[in-house]
Amino acid sequence: MQSITIRRPDDWHLHLRDGAMLEGVIGDTSRDFARAIIMPNLVPPVVTTADAEAYRARIIAALPKGDKFQPLMTLYLTEHTNPDDVEAGKTSGLITAVKLYPAGATTNSHGGVRDIEKAIPVLERMAKIGLPLCVHGEVTTPEVDIFDREAVFIETVLDPLRKRLPELKVTMEHVTTKDGIDYIKSAKANLAGSITTHHLIINRNAILVGGIRPHYYCLPVAKRENHRLALRAAATSGDPRFFLGTDSAPHVDPLKECACGCAGIYTSINTMSCLAHVFEQESALDKLEAFASLNGPAWYGLPVNEERITLVKRKETVNFPGKVETGAGLVTVFDPMFPLHWDVER
Ligand code: NCD
Ligand code: ZN
């Protein structure tokens, strides 16, 4: 039997939601992960340090007994965000990053930033105090094709912003294109990228071939095969600028399986099994720890986890539930379309 032991991983981009959904999904993360960066796109969003403090308390209260999971809180950047509040959040140790959603880019982002000029005072402060900006890197201009939105964002928003504020640390979250990978690699400093589990596994055919499959729809939407291959090469390279951010984003089935379904794929429960499979396919199991457990903490200036987990490769298939009952309703689990054999030993 093959096995691999790595430091306990972290998830550098996670949607936990709130209320019954939070209670229903958090155990799937806290079982395998020590920490996660928690996305602030609640309704209403987490915009102030006080909001983040209250949300953090709700997350801790929802944790299964005995789990030591640590939520790393983010603030949702708006055109009215107060730089002093952001700095206070960082100083107190509560806030790990600030999240930029271009208005309308994805689920619950209507309160996001329309005019980046308006956010410059906050961004300047963040550059000064060393607080990273996490970006959803897609333009929302109606004329721009949805498959081009990441590349156009890099050219028209991200690159000018980084030239203007070279000291600002930017995480390009859920990179989905070769353009994104190349851009991150070309940067001399202060730029890194997270990559999701599902974007390493599916390309856009998964969504559209043989019928429309809403459970493979997320934002940024999966791209062509050449992009998926670029993501796999980056994730399995050991390059410290790339790390795991699952973007696990639960929506109940009725909100996915309808005429205008929500974006988001639920991967918390089987991410480590999927990743071990992918890294083994790429003959890079020795790089899994860098991607899932080392590169993220180094980027965010946090210590690596001392605990270890062991993944074992079983002869039989490891069966995850097809759906999770959350209390808010059923959530479909990501199906990688291949049998999983790697399992986290518990
Ligand atoms: C996320 C969600 O549902 O909150 N959806 C998604 O497809 N990833 C929002 C996001 O991160 O874009
Ligand atoms: Zn997300």
Side-chain angles (χ1 to χ4, degrees):
M1 193 173 64
Q2 251 182 299
S3 83
I4 169 176
T5 297
I6 61 172
R7 283 181 192 268
R8 185 172 284 280
D10 302 303
D11 183 351
W12 300 96
H13 180 131
L14 175 66
H15 298 269
L16 281 179
R17 315 302 190 201
D18 215 342
M21 179 67 94
L22 164 64
E23 282 172 26
V25 300
I26 188 164
D28 287 344
T29 290
S30 64
R31 196 177 302 126
D32 290 345
F33 297 89
R35 299 169 289 198
I37 284 205
I38 310 300
M39 285 298 118
N41 63 331
L42 304 182
V43 188
V46 178
V47 291
T48 65
T49 298
D51 295 340
E53 202 165 358
Y55 185 31
R56 183 174 186 282
R58 298 199 295 279
I59 294 170
I60 300 287
L63 272 176
K65 263 208 166 49
D67 282 9
K68 284 176 299 192
F69 176 76
Q70 202 189 336
L72 304 173
M73 306 311 290
T74 59
L75 294 178
Y76 183 110
L77 183 64
T78 72
E79 295 178 359
H80 311 286
T81 298
N82 176 349
D84 293 336
D85 185 55
V86 170
E87 180 162 358
K90 150 127 171 115
T91 308
S92 73
L94 176 72
I95 301 301
T96 301
V98 172
K99 174 77 187 231
L100 165 65
Y101 287 104
T106 187
T107 315
N108 305 334
S109 65
H110 39 272
V113 174
R114 263 159 244 282
D115 178 5
I116 192 101
E117 274 311 308
K118 298 218 169 93
I120 291 293
V122 184
L123 298 173
E124 280 173 347
R125 183 75 66 89
M126 289 166 59
K128 191 169 146 219
I129 64 178
L131 184 63
L133 178 71
C134 291
V135 300
H136 182 111
E138 289 190 288
V139 292
T140 52
T141 331
E143 302 76 61
V144 178
D145 189 279
I146 191 160
F147 291 100
D148 299 332
R149 288 179 172 200
E150 186 168 293
V152 173
F153 181 87
I154 293 168
E155 199 186 308
T156 62
V157 182
L158 186 54
D159 194 56
L161 176 65
R162 292 188 55 253
K163 288 200 168 113
R164 184 157 169 190
L165 291 174
E167 300 306 319
L168 181 66
K169 276 184 87 154
V170 178
T171 311
M172 246 195 99
E173 301 206 276
H174 42 52
V175 181
T176 60
T177 57
K178 181 173 187 305
D179 312 65
I181 297 293
D182 290 345
Y183 182 67
I184 291 166
K185 285 203 216 152
S186 75
K188 291 205 175 56
N190 291 336
L191 185 64
S194 68
I195 301 177
T196 75
T197 312
H198 48 279
H199 288 118
L200 295 172
I201 295 172
I202 59 164
N203 63 28
R204 63 195 201 178
N205 281 8
I207 312 164
L208 297 169
V209 171
I212 187 152
R213 295 177 202 279
H215 296 293
Y216 292 119
Y217 173 61
C218 66
L219 287 170
V221 71
K223 309 294 192 298
R224 284 178 181 275
E225 178 65 358
N226 64 309
H227 296 291
R228 185 184 75 102
L229 295 177
L231 298 175
R232 278 172 85 107
T236 59
S237 67
D239 185 326
R241 291 170 293 189
F242 299 105
F243 44 81
L244 173 64
T246 65
D247 196 12
S248 183
H251 293 277
V252 292
D253 283 352
L255 294 180
K256 296 281 298 171
E257 300 167 2
C258 56
C260 183
C262 294
I265 299 182
Y266 187 63
T267 55
S268 290
I269 193 169
N270 59 6
T271 274
M272 291 314 297
S273 295
C274 289
L275 288 178
H277 184 106
V278 166
F279 277 66
E280 184 184 33
Q281 278 183 328
E282 300 289 326
S283 305
L285 271 175
D286 61 324
K287 301 291 195 316
L288 179 58
E289 186 177 42
F291 181 68
S293 317
L294 304 179
N295 297 347
W299 168 251
Y300 282 102
L302 294 168
V304 294
N305 297 313
E306 284 308 325
E307 270 185 24
R308 264 72 175 175
I309 63 164
T310 296
L311 286 139
V312 293
K313 189 176 182 186
R314 305 198 187 283
K315 242 201 353 263
E316 64 279 15
T317 309
V318 182
N319 289 311
F320 288 93
K323 292 173 194 290
V324 174
E325 177 54 70
T326 64
L330 288 172
V331 171
T332 292
V333 170
F334 174 62
D335 173 4
M337 294 179 282
F338 46 70
L340 289 166
H341 290 276
W342 287 93
D343 197 9
V344 179
E345 210 169 50
R346 304 187 202 282

